[in-house]
Amino acid sequence: MLSQAEQSILSNKVVLVTGALGGIGSEVALAYARHGATIILLDKNIAQLEKLYDVILQETGIEPAIFPVDFKGANADDYQQLAQTIKNTFGQLDGLVHCAADVGQLAPIANQDIRQWTETLQVNLTATYLLTHACLNLLQSTEQQSFIIFTTDSQHDKAYRGAYGLSKAALECFCHQLSLEMEAAGKVRVNCIDPGQVKTKLHARVYPAADPQHLPEPTAVIPAYLYLASDQSGHLHGQCLNAQMELPVKVLA
C-alpha cells in the first residue's frame, strides 16, 4: 500500500503524455494519475484513448483530457494550438513525458525506403521538438519546477536500426542541449529515460527474435518515470537514467 504522501506526490500537477496508448505510455499515464496528476493523453486512436480515459477516471476519480494527434501529419501550428488549448483549459502544464515512438523500417541503410525514413524521423524527432517548443512557455511559467522526460533506446547505434536508431540518438542530444539551456533559470528539469528491454509491441518489432517471456512488463520501469516527475529528483538535470539499472535507493511505485 502507498502512503498518503506517496499517493499525492503529483497532486495538482498537469502532465502531458505522448504515445499514451503504447505499452509504456499508458502505464505512465495510469501511474501519474494514481499519484494525483491530471493527465493529458496524446495519441492518434480516439476510440482507444476514450477507453484509457474511462479506466483512469474510474480508478482514480481524476478526469483526464484527450488530444488526438497524428505525429506524421501534424505541423507546428497544430502544436501551438494544442499548447494554447492546454493553457486555456488548465492554466498550467507541469510536465511533458515523451513516450511516442515509431520503429519505422529496420533494414540496411542502402535498402531504406525514403518515405518511411522521413516519416519515422517526423514522429520520433521532429514532432517531439515541435511539441516541446510549443509547450516551453507553459512549462517555464509554473509556480514550482516543471519537468520534461524523453524516452530513448541505448541500443540506437546497432546495425539495421535505421531512422529509429538515428532519432533516439538525436533525442539524447536534444535532451542534453535543452537541459543546458534550461539550467540557468532552474524552472524546467530535463532528463531522459532508457527503459531497456521491456515486453511491449515496440520491443517485439525492434527485437523480433527475442523471447518476450523473459522480459519485464512495462510496469517494471514506471518507478523511474515517477521518480523523475517527483520532487525527490529535483537534483537531477540533463541526465539519462537506465530504468532497470540505475534507480535510486528509494523509488516510488
Side-chain angles (χ1 to χ4, degrees), residues 9-10 13 32 147 149 189 224-231 233:
I9 58 167
L10 299 179
K13 293 186 182 295
Y32 281 18
F147 63 90
I149 300 174
R189 288 186 292 111
Y225 284 90
L226 278 169
Y227 180 69
L228 287 184
S230 73
D231 293 338
S233 64

Side-chain angles (χ1 to χ4, degrees), residues 22 50-51 54 89 116 181 196 239:
E50 290 174 342
K51 289 182 180 179
D54 290 339
T89 304
Q116 203 164 1
E181 294 174 11
Q239 302 298 308

